[in-house]
Amino acid sequence: NPIEKEEYKEVNRTPFPYQDDIIDKRVSFMFYNPLQVSTVSTNASAKGIIEAITAVNKDAKMDSLNREIARSLFGFYEVAEYWYASDDEVQERYGFETDTKIRCLIFKPEDGDVLYPLFDNKRNLIAFSRGYKTRDYEGKEAEYFETWTDQSYSRLMKSGGNWVEDQ
């Protein structure tokens, strides 16, 4: 009669973040080559416009931003770009003299942004909103809600349980 012995052995498992690896490979595959802008237009001003667009993309570091946008889109399934102009000193950064700098912000859930696109019946974007929270220097949390339409911008701040227009 053989002796039966019951023994417990710890399973050796090495965790590997497959999701992160898949996202990294997709992003690398999509953006291996830098963004190139071109046109088939024979218009005389088309070349200057393409050069300006290329300069804006370079100044805004679009190659890096596109990778960041793709990572957020593949991981969270939502992301938004916000392009805006800000005043700056006069320079010839885009191939022509200007005192405006074109900038880009990325809104994504991993940074705490909650995105609210609003579409009409034809799937045209008619408004876009985002909610987010920040902390001031004293550590107090403030909650904001911004809305953009084609004609307006508003920013609300939560104060005492009510939303009030932020100045």
Side-chain angles (χ1 to χ4, degrees):
N1 193 4
I3 300 174
E4 291 184 26
K5 185 176 174 186
E6 198 171 301
E7 192 175 323
Y8 176 77
K9 289 189 178 183
E10 187 70 35
V11 177
N12 188 7
R13 292 187 181 149
T14 304
F16 186 76
Y18 287 107
Q19 297 88 345
D20 292 342
D21 189 48
I22 291 168
I23 289 171
D24 286 343
K25 286 180 180 175
R26 288 178 74 184
V27 170
S28 295
F29 183 75
M30 281 183 68
F31 297 109
Y32 178 76
N33 295 318
L35 178 69
Q36 293 182 353
V37 181
S38 63
T39 183
V40 294
S41 175
T42 57
N43 189 329
S45 63
K47 184 179 180 203
I49 293 170
I50 293 297
E51 288 173 358
I53 291 170
T54 302
V56 168
N57 286 342
K58 183 178 179 186
D59 191 52
K61 300 179 175 85
M62 278 312 297
D63 290 332
S64 297
L65 289 177
N66 281 337
R67 289 175 175 271
E68 185 180 343
I69 290 165
R71 275 193 183 86
S72 184
L73 183 63
F74 296 153
F76 293 91
Y77 297 105
E78 63 180 1
V79 65
E81 288 180 68
Y82 173 61
W83 287 87
Y84 64 100
S86 64
D87 294 332
D88 201 6
E89 58 190 52
V90 176
Q91 290 185 1
E92 195 170 311
R93 69 167 46 94
Y94 305 127
F96 53 90
E97 200 169 276
T98 181
D99 63 347
T100 301
K101 183 167 182 159
I102 299 173
R103 299 176 182 262
C104 179
L105 280 176
I106 300 173
F107 304 142
K108 51 190 176 175
E110 64 189 295
D111 291 342
D113 294 318
V114 181
L115 309 178
Y116 301 95
L118 178 64
F119 298 96
D120 65 9
N121 292 339
K122 297 178 182 175
R123 297 292 296 159
N124 295 317
L125 184 68
I126 55 175
F128 179 81
S129 300
R130 84 166 174 141
Y132 64 98
K133 295 178 183 179
T134 60
R135 291 196 180 275
D136 63 12
Y137 295 111
E138 299 169 358
K140 285 194 221 171
E141 190 174 81
E143 189 173 352
Y144 295 96
F145 190 82
E146 296 177 310
T147 300
W148 292 266
T149 67
D150 61 345
Q151 297 184 9
S152 68
Y153 166 77
S154 67
R155 178 172 148 168
L156 305 175
M157 179 180 178
K158 198 168 206 177
S159 177
N162 296 321
W163 292 98
V164 294
E165 185 118 13
D166 188 34
Q167 307 303 336

